Amino acid sequence: MGSKENYRIELRTAIRQLSDRCLYAASKWAAEQLVGIIEQDPVKFTPANTRFQRGSSSIRRRFRTNDITSTPAAGVSYVSTPVMEEDDIVDGDFYLLAKSYFDCREYRRAAHVLRDQNGKKSVFLRSYALYLAGEKRKEEEMIELEGPLGKSDIVNGELVSLERELSTLRKNGTIDPFGLYLYGLVLKDKGSKSLALTVLVESVNSYPWNWSAWSELQSLCTTVDVLNSLKLNNHWMKDFFLASAYQELRKHSESLKKYEYLKGTFVFSNYIQAQIAKAQYNLREFEQVEAIFEELLRNDPYRVEDMDMYSNVLYAKECYSALSYLAHRVFITDKYRPESCCIIGNYYSLKGQHAKAVVYFRRALKLNRNYLSAWTLMGHEYVEMKNTPAAIEAYRHAVDINPCDYRAWYGLGQAYEMMSMPLYALYYFKKSVFLQPNDSRLWIAMAKCYETEQLHMTEEAMKCYKRAVNCNDREAIALHQLAKLNSELGRSEEAAYYYKKDLERMEAEDREGPNMVETLLYLAQYYRQQKRFEESEIYCTRLLDYTGPEKETAKSLLRGMRIEQAGGPSMDVEHFPP
């Protein structure tokens, strides 16, 4: 990449400019990246400060990931974007007063103070204050009329006037990059997505350090074609944008490569570490994700953002004590954050207290009604509570917010499956598997749907199970089901093949149980019928270690084979179904 010193200068200037305009989320993001790039004296390193340093990271030692170089790919050159110069004299004291009101969330009062000010900073802050005042009133009306979780058609009442004013400024050429960002935000809220894309591209090309503008642009890139059509300057901030956009478009491997490349320069960036964890979470590499979040919490013990993802990993691994500790930590740090509520909800869900979990997921949604994870997780809880209508409503809210959320589509499939409506369930499972084609669980769910009595589409079910096997079926369901279905269809050779593959997997994972007995019994009988007595005897001998009817069957098979090998009359041993 480019010069680290240049990046520091750009970020320091951007932090001041973004803070002056009350774009605090973008300012915080820039500050975190600035700290992530700072060179430190190796003598002053502490164990906590060196966790993400290349070559010394415990994550690298643990998982042997490749070292990352900060040298850009051959032929890559970054454009130099001039930093905006401020004209503080034009804005003056009225701006300082308005900013003070803005910081106290008195948005209309701030806008009123700047009503006659013509400086670009003042015009932006007045417009931004009006926008946020409209958003605040919209939320109030939604709670008054629909309740905090109800659907509503209420819109921001300031959008029309803001669109008119900002459009005029853009046509006159008197709008700055921050005004373009706000104009794009207004257009997006009004549904003018095509023009919003154009305006936001203008904003990030002229001022690339506003991460909030990049985030809004990313939310409009719903397909790879839209992303590829953007005419973006090759500034280094574009790499951050592409990495994030790839993540949202489910191109997780490409996203991971981008973040690993960026980490070569932003060595200490907690943001990049969290995004790497997110990519690996979507690739279901839970061990790596857990290690990264452990490191993050050592470096930043009061961090709440992204920790809900960590709680999902702990939930999936059934780590009761770790999840309990995390829930307690975020409760003490900031219990009224959507992420905190989701973490506590996951804790109660893991304990089997589903009603309490729902309380916390609902609280998360009262804090942010568009918090996607909370809708999906609440749907899961309602499924556990057998409250199917409530689960369906929660999942539908989730897909309304993000139609690319495969978990919500999968949840809808499960809900309709519980209602014995396999055709509906199949529709939603197909939606989920289209969005996440490498998840074996989704293929297995769809296969079971095909197997139901109403559909009884065995061949289609087998195709799904084969896809699940190719997607590394960690639950070890698909191979066994393929063996059973082939057996039921009289395809003994194919059944034996899959039973043998399943047996190899069970042995490798040191698993026992009914599936092991069923597999050994089938293979013993299959090889007996094929006159391959030595192989059949191996499986029969293993069955003798079990108690029950399978032991007697094994003895009967062994007796029959010995008689036949001795030249006696052939004995037809009864075929016991698996």
Side-chain angles (χ1 to χ4, degrees), residues 277-339:
K278 185 177 179 181
Q280 291 180 325
Y281 174 80
N282 287 313
L283 293 169
R284 294 179 60 75
E285 297 172 353
F286 290 158
E287 293 294 329
Q288 291 92 322
V289 176
E290 187 178 6
I292 290 173
F293 276 115
E294 286 173 2
E295 301 283 350
L296 271 175
L297 284 175
R298 288 192 190 98
N299 282 341
D300 192 0
Y302 300 103
R303 183 186 184 93
V304 176
E305 57 210 347
D306 305 311
M307 288 297 124
D308 53 334
M309 188 198 313
Y310 182 33
S311 76
N312 291 339
V313 173
L314 296 176
Y315 180 94
K317 296 183 70 178
E318 298 185 0
C319 299
Y320 288 88
S321 58
L323 185 52
S324 173
Y325 176 72
L326 180 63
H328 178 73
R329 172 176 263 177
V330 297
F331 183 85
I332 297 299
T333 303
D334 189 352
K335 67 178 180 180
Y336 293 116
R337 283 273 292 272
E339 297 94 334

Side-chain angles (χ1 to χ4, degrees), residues 64-316:
R64 306 295 181 191
T65 54
N66 296 326
D67 282 346
I68 304 153
T69 175
S70 60
T71 306
V76 174
S77 59
Y78 292 95
V79 298
S80 177
T81 304
V83 178
M84 285 175 48
E85 293 188 10
E86 304 285 17
D87 190 354
D88 294 324
I89 299 172
V90 175
D91 297 295
D93 299 337
F94 284 102
Y95 184 85
L96 294 176
L97 176 61
K99 186 176 183 302
S100 298
Y101 289 150
F102 189 104
D103 290 342
C104 294
R105 294 173 60 86
E106 298 181 65
Y107 301 128
R108 292 199 184 277
R109 200 175 180 191
H112 178 74
V113 168
L114 297 173
R115 65 193 181 281
D116 297 324
Q117 302 299 306
N118 297 318
K120 289 183 178 180
K121 281 174 67 175
S122 293
V123 169
F124 170 78
L125 191 62
R126 178 175 55 78
S127 300
Y128 191 38
L130 285 173
Y131 174 81
L132 291 181
E135 286 294 295
K136 186 178 178 183
R137 183 58 196 144
K138 182 179 80 170
E139 290 179 8
E140 292 167 352
E141 288 182 13
M142 286 166 64
I143 292 172
E144 291 163 4
L145 299 176
E146 304 288 344
L149 305 183
K151 288 189 176 182
S152 175
D153 296 328
I154 298 168
V155 296
N156 185 332
E158 302 294 334
L159 293 182
V160 174
S161 59
L162 284 172
E163 182 187 13
R164 188 185 307 117
E165 179 182 358
L166 294 168
S167 174
T168 301
L169 290 173
R170 180 171 177 254
K171 287 175 184 175
N172 295 339
T174 55
I175 196 169
D176 68 359
F178 299 101
L180 286 169
Y181 155 64
L182 183 58
Y183 184 30
L185 190 56
V186 168
L187 289 167
K188 178 193 164 192
D189 287 354
K190 287 198 70 183
S192 304
K193 293 185 178 180
S194 179
L195 183 55
L197 271 171
T198 303
V199 170
L200 287 168
V201 167
E202 289 178 24
S203 175
V204 297
N205 278 343
S206 52
Y207 189 88
W209 305 279
N210 180 5
W211 183 246
S212 294
W214 287 108
S215 298
E216 294 300 331
L217 182 61
Q218 177 197 294
S219 69
L220 294 170
C221 296
T222 52
T223 66
V224 175
D225 290 339
V226 173
L227 179 64
N228 292 337
S229 70
L230 301 181
K231 296 179 180 178
L232 297 168
N233 291 342
N234 199 30
H235 189 272
W236 55 268
M237 281 289 291
K238 179 183 173 183
D239 287 330
F240 279 99
F241 166 72
L242 289 175
S244 182
Y246 287 151
Q247 190 118 273
E248 291 303 312
L249 292 170
R250 303 173 305 283
K251 296 168 72 70
H252 304 303
S253 297
E254 291 87 339
S255 174
L256 197 55
K257 288 176 185 175
K258 275 284 181 188
Y259 281 124
E260 293 281 16
Y261 170 61
L262 284 164
K263 192 179 163 193
T265 298
F266 297 86
V267 181
F268 298 99
S269 171
N270 287 346
Y271 166 80
I272 290 178
Q273 284 299 129
Q275 296 307 305
I276 288 173
K278 185 177 179 181
Q280 291 180 325
Y281 174 80
N282 287 313
L283 293 169
R284 294 179 60 75
E285 297 172 353
F286 290 158
E287 293 294 329
Q288 291 92 322
V289 176
E290 187 178 6
I292 290 173
F293 276 115
E294 286 173 2
E295 301 283 350
L296 271 175
L297 284 175
R298 288 192 190 98
N299 282 341
D300 192 0
Y302 300 103
R303 183 186 184 93
V304 176
E305 57 210 347
D306 305 311
M307 288 297 124
D308 53 334
M309 188 198 313
Y310 182 33
S311 76
N312 291 339
V313 173
L314 296 176
Y315 180 94

Side-chain angles (χ1 to χ4, degrees), residues 406 410 417 426 428-451 457 459-473 475 477-478 481-482 485:
Y406 79 91
Y410 175 67
E417 194 173 39
L426 194 59
Y428 293 116
F429 285 142
K430 284 181 177 178
K431 282 270 193 183
S432 69
V433 87
F434 172 77
L435 294 168
Q436 191 78 358
N438 296 321
D439 194 325
S440 62
R441 298 168 302 168
L442 308 184
W443 288 107
I444 288 170
M446 196 154 68
K448 288 181 177 178
C449 208
Y450 279 123
E451 282 189 273
M457 299 170 68
E459 293 293 342
E460 296 300 319
M462 290 172 68
K463 289 177 185 176
C464 292
Y465 283 128
K466 286 176 183 177
R467 288 295 299 267
V469 171
N470 293 335
C471 295
N472 187 22
D473 170 30
E475 285 76 21
I477 295 171
Q481 288 300 112
L482 278 169
L485 290 176

